Amino acid sequence: MGTDDRILLAHGSGGKLSHDLIESFLPLFDNKLLDKLDDSAVFQIEGRLAFTTDSYVVSPIFFPGGDIGKLAVCGTINDLAMSGAVPLYLSLSLIIEEGLPLDDLQRVMASVKKAAEEAGVNVVTGDTKVVNRGNADRLFINTSGIGVVPPGVDISGSKAKPGDSIILSGTIGDHGIAVMSQREGLEFSSPVGSDCAPLHSLVADILGVSDQIHCLRDPTRGGLASTLNELARQSKVGIRIEEEKIPVREGVRAACELLGLEPLYVANEGKLVAVVPGAEAKTVIDIMHKNPYGKQAIIIGEVVAEHPGRVVMKTGLGASRIVDMLVGELLPRIC
Amino acid sequence: MRFVDEYRNSELGKRLVDRIHRRSKKPVRLMEFCGGHTVTIFRHGIRQLLPSTIEMLSGPGCPICVTANADLDKAIALALLPDVIIATFGDMLKVPGSYSSLQGVRAEGGDVRIVYSALDAIRIAQRNPDKSVVMLGIGFETTAPTIAASVLEASREGVSNYCVLSMHKMCPPVIKALLDSGEVRLDGLVCPGHVSAVIGSRPYDFLPRDYGIACVVSGFEPLDVLQCVDMLVAQIERGEPAVEIAYRRGVKPEGNERALETMWTVFEYCEARWRGIGAVPESGLRLREEYRSFDAEVAFEIELPPPREPEGCLCGDILRGVKTPLDCKLFRRVCNPEHPVGPCMVSSEGSCSAYYLYGENNGNG
């Protein structure tokens, strides 16, 4: 592969090569706001806005079930969705290490396009920087997102109440294990793919059948255990879950055994936890089962008044134990 | 998942628990030697399920926890030397020595690398011919053969910039030392699984014979441990202590002959320092004369300030089974997995970490 096929420092210089590179992306994100190529995208939105930002540094940048591009779109969309917002616009900012094959960059950008299209959001502004070899690891992406929160929707991690049911949208640990097994060169007979997915349609479905959703959260870094602990602390309530109810894919369980990890602490990128009043749980589960990203939704536990701030799990043998926050770094650079 | 699910089956588990309740009459004291068993017991809440006649103690079977500060200090000092690369299993990184940790030294610019196998350390040595690579030999009879194999490989391939800092520890001698101290009275021992896969079950024969202690080698799944407890209780109730294997899928009475041969080709017994227990004769391993050139103790001469223990830390007493983390004033208040004071909080197999993570209501009392 010659230098023609790789990112050079000059691609980030602001000159001819930069221009050509940006031009090559434009057709992918065909929209009026971006095509103007002004310094900022200018638009009008009515209503309450949700605004979020996230940086993606996952290594490797390609992994089973996704890549850094898809992750950068879905991650930010999901942050908006967990506030109940309908995502509208994204920014996309690339920090590229000198020497990255152009083909890899094009693959990532194609994946950004596909994910944005599926989610129905537009990338309306962006930036590209190139840094010297060794000053970044291949490709880092930052995305920010803006969405509108429909009237009446008020979702927060501090609203869980005793009597609420805890709903989990599907299997846990898929993303973390997909990235980890790729990184460590582990091969399994049934390979685990990342669950990376945009969850705003699932959230829209949930909000469509119930106006009493208390909390929504996507258990990314730190896994389900950390998310439940955050909710218990923010809402000053106790949470009880049952080990046997929590769905874990066979391959994820096997990999966790091998790597000495607990699925409860392994990252997800396409799952959500919904805290809803017990009486609403069945309606919410039923609608979730109809969405491709909620087919395995299940009630895994309940909110209680006892042991505020703590998560307690009933083990398979019928004993109980505390499930704490993730301490230390389980798997670095997982997203 | 085959070979795992069968050993976590909740129906079978409940039946075993019932049987233990029916069988257990006399009050008994059992110790699980191995930190891996401690984690299984806490993670699955097994102590809560046992009858009040059975008291479970956690033993010193966490290799990182029992490494004395004097040895940790040596490893940390080596990491500070220019042109030295330390290769280590990941859990050593955060363990505090007297004055610093490998993690602290790494932040100061020391070259400390995590490996999953000692053979990876040899690869690092081959890629860095102008540096010395020191592999930290930590662990019981389980890891010693793999470190020995790396020395044989380095010798065969002429990798002269590779050496081992041997801090290996042997299980049967320290069990004997614990019992001889008279501090701990035991009726039965949950014998380590992986260690016994290497040494077999025969090295425990002295325990029923000389000390009247029931011995059962256990695997690491919850049903393994419950079955082991059931077998121990049966032996004790019958008044016929013996050595049995509950972990038949992993352990043979004679052990793994090839692993043992590899280990004894490279290593020989020596006295070892144990945290909380002190020097125990013939409980450690050093490199034999013919492999001395791979011995970090010979390759580097280091002067160290005297080791010191963190004030108030009870790790030593906890490792002997005479105190629990709940007796420690530092536990939870000052000492937690983010800011560990002693090694039993750092290691994933340490008692303090198990009490912290899975809840002290899993402990006795």
Side-chain angles (χ1 to χ4, degrees):
Chain A
M1 193 181 283
T3 51
D4 284 359
D5 308 321
R6 291 182 181 274
I7 289 288
L8 309 174
L9 278 175
H11 278 112
S13 66
K16 170 91 172 68
L17 273 179
S18 304
H19 193 76
D20 290 352
L21 184 66
I22 293 166
E23 287 280 325
S24 75
F25 297 152
L26 280 183
L28 291 173
F29 306 112
D30 190 25
N31 68 68
K32 279 185 205 134
L33 288 169
L34 184 65
D35 293 348
K36 281 187 182 165
L37 290 181
D38 285 333
D39 281 349
S40 46
V42 179
F43 47 80
Q44 190 145 9
I45 310 176
E46 298 292 324
R48 279 187 305 155
L49 298 187
F51 179 38
T52 186
T53 188
D54 212 336
S55 296
Y56 300 85
V57 298
V58 63
S59 166
I61 59 176
F62 299 102
F63 47 83
D67 59 40
I68 191 170
K70 183 178 182 188
L71 194 62
V73 172
C74 294
T76 293
I77 284 176
N78 291 348
D79 283 347
L80 290 172
M82 294 311 129
S83 308
V86 177
L88 294 176
Y89 300 121
L90 289 184
S91 72
L92 178 73
S93 191
L94 309 177
I95 296 171
I96 312 171
E97 184 189 22
E98 176 190 14
L100 180 76
L102 271 172
D103 279 353
D104 284 358
L105 185 61
Q106 293 296 351
R107 256 175 86 191
V108 170
M109 296 310 280
S111 157
V112 168
K113 168 194 155 77
K114 193 163 164 247
E117 262 175 16
E118 184 192 339
V121 297
N122 280 327
V123 175
V124 293
T125 184
D127 182 50
T128 306
K129 295 281 190 308
V130 180
V131 297
N132 290 21
R133 194 183 279 276
N135 288 0
D137 185 5
R138 308 194 73 196
L139 175 63
F140 297 156
I141 299 183
N142 173 277
T143 52
S144 296
I146 286 184
V148 179
V149 185
V153 171
D154 181 18
I155 291 165
S156 158
S158 59
K159 294 186 67 185
K161 290 187 180 57
D164 285 356
S165 292
I166 314 248
I167 300 172
L168 173 66
S169 67
T171 55
I172 58 167
D174 299 19
H175 176 74
I177 292 302
V179 173
M180 191 69 182
S181 50
Q182 179 82 358
R183 201 188 296 169
E184 300 298 333
L186 299 176
E187 285 180 28
F188 301 102
S189 52
S190 50
V192 175
S194 167
D195 57 348
C196 179
L199 296 173
H200 62 295
S201 70
L202 184 61
V203 171
D205 289 351
I206 294 172
L207 295 177
V209 295
S210 173
D211 57 0
Q212 295 187 57
I213 305 302
H214 288 160
C215 325
L216 288 173
R217 197 152 285 186
D218 55 337
T220 53
R221 275 179 304 174
L224 178 65
S226 299
T227 291
L228 294 177
N229 271 283
E230 283 163 22
L231 294 175
R233 286 176 200 190
Q234 265 183 275
S235 296
K236 302 185 178 64
V237 293
I239 287 180
R240 275 193 201 163
I241 54 172
E242 284 185 51
E243 189 167 29
E244 290 191 326
K245 296 276 169 65
I246 299 168
V248 186
R249 234 178 259 286
E250 175 95 4
V252 171
R253 285 203 296 145
C256 282
E257 284 299 318
L258 215 61
L259 298 167
L261 306 173
E262 272 204 67
L264 283 173
Y265 293 98
V266 180
N268 311 279
E269 287 292 344
K271 296 293 153 33
L272 64 78
V273 170
V275 180
V276 307
E280 300 273 305
K282 187 175 181 311
T283 319
V284 171
I285 289 262
D286 285 347
I287 194 76
M288 287 176 81
H289 285 164
K290 292 190 179 120
N291 186 293
Y293 300 124
K295 281 195 172 358
Q296 285 178 277
I298 183 170
I299 298 175
I300 57 163
E302 57 175 352
V303 177
V304 294
E306 297 85 58
H307 54 80
R310 286 211 161 169
V311 180
V312 172
M313 181 164 82
K314 193 171 147 206
T315 71
L317 292 173
S320 62
R321 70 160 163 103
I322 288 176
V323 174
D324 207 336
M325 282 260 190
L326 172 66
V327 283
E329 205 164 60
L330 182 68
L331 309 168
R333 292 188 51 198
I334 209 80
C335 59
Chain B
M1 202 179 352
R2 282 194 65 205
F3 306 122
V4 172
D5 290 344
E6 299 91 318
Y7 298 96
R8 292 187 186 168
N9 182 300
S10 52
E11 276 313 306
L12 290 175
K14 281 166 196 159
R15 259 188 264 164
L16 268 170
V17 169
D18 286 346
R19 194 155 86 191
I20 294 169
H21 276 260
R22 281 199 306 275
R23 220 198 277 273
S24 179
K25 306 277 187 306
K26 295 183 209 163
V28 294
R29 228 168 187 212
L30 311 180
M31 175 183 271
E32 85 272 2
F33 176 84
C34 175
H37 286 143
T38 306
V39 171
T40 300
I41 288 167
F42 276 73
R43 205 167 138 182
H44 298 276
I46 287 176
R47 282 189 182 182
Q48 296 164 40
L49 303 170
L50 296 177
S52 58
T53 41
I54 299 178
E55 184 187 357
M56 297 290 299
L57 300 179
S58 300
C62 156
I64 285 165
C65 306
V66 294
T67 302
N69 269 1
D71 290 327
L72 285 169
D73 293 347
K74 205 180 289 169
I76 292 162
L78 285 175
L80 278 169
L81 293 180
D83 302 325
V84 167
I85 300 173
I86 295 285
T88 177
F89 299 128
D91 16 5
M92 278 296 284
L93 215 58
K94 282 173 88 176
V95 183
S98 303
Y99 305 95
S100 180
S101 65
L102 287 171
Q103 184 174 253
V105 168
R106 186 159 83 167
E108 288 168 33
D111 197 342
V112 180
R113 303 191 194 178
I114 292 174
V115 291
Y116 290 99
S117 148
L119 297 178
D120 294 342
I122 293 186
R123 302 287 99 80
I124 295 174
Q126 285 169 325
R127 281 199 299 271
N128 296 275
D130 50 338
K131 305 232 170 165
S132 298
V133 173
V134 181
M135 176 73 206
L136 302 185
I138 290 274
F140 296 121
E141 292 90 335
T142 333
T143 45
T146 68
I147 303 279
S150 78
V151 171
L152 293 177
E153 164 120 351
S155 172
R156 231 178 0 250
E157 307 231 330
V159 186
S160 58
N161 60 329
Y162 174 77
C163 62
V164 168
L165 183 65
S166 175
M167 297 176 269
H168 289 294
K169 305 274 188 289
M170 306 281 101
C171 295
V174 83
I175 296 171
K176 183 171 185 311
L178 263 186
L179 294 168
D180 288 344
S181 76
E183 274 187 314
V184 187
R185 186 194 58 77
L186 295 179
D187 302 296
L189 189 72
V190 177
C191 295
H194 296 150
V195 165
S196 307
V198 174
I199 65 172
S201 61
R202 289 182 192 142
Y204 309 111
D205 283 347
F206 73 98
L207 285 163
R209 187 186 64 223
D210 303 342
Y211 297 84
I213 290 178
C215 287
V216 177
V217 177
S218 172
F220 292 88
E221 295 302 328
L223 262 59
D224 286 321
V225 173
L226 286 172
Q227 188 197 5
C228 169
V229 169
D230 184 47
M231 288 165 74
L232 285 171
V233 169
Q235 283 188 26
I236 297 165
E237 292 292 336
R238 279 200 310 269
E240 290 169 9
V243 177
E244 292 181 287
I245 303 173
Y247 191 29
R248 292 216 167 262
R249 65 190 187 283
V251 177
K252 293 182 290 186
E254 67 276 18
N256 180 332
E257 282 156 358
R258 188 142 173 237
L260 287 169
E261 193 195 317
T262 306
M263 182 168 94
W264 292 124
T265 302
V266 172
F267 289 115
E268 62 190 5
Y269 277 129
C270 67
E271 183 179 272
R273 286 171 293 217
W274 295 66
R275 180 186 304 271
I277 298 165
V280 179
E282 308 225 316
S283 70
L285 294 176
R286 69 166 169 232
L287 284 102
R288 285 182 183 276
E289 188 63 45
E290 39 293 32
Y291 296 101
R292 266 310 137 75
S293 61
F294 296 101
D295 189 343
E297 301 264 11
V298 176
F300 301 94
E301 262 190 52
I302 298 173
E303 295 237 349
L304 292 169
R308 58 176 192 196
E309 300 297 327
E311 209 170 314
C313 173
L314 294 188
C315 279
D317 295 341
I318 292 166
L319 286 167
R320 293 201 305 281
V322 298
K323 294 266 168 67
T324 80
L326 302 182
D327 299 318
C328 182
K329 289 200 179 75
L330 308 183
F331 180 71
R332 264 192 204 282
R333 294 184 193 93
V334 204
C335 182
N336 56 56
E338 298 278 83
H339 301 284
V341 176
C344 300
M345 186 60 93
V346 181
S347 168
S348 56
E349 296 191 349
S351 290
C352 299
S353 154
Y355 270 73
Y356 185 96
L357 290 178
Y358 302 123
E360 55 263 38
N361 63 338
N362 272 317
N364 289 318

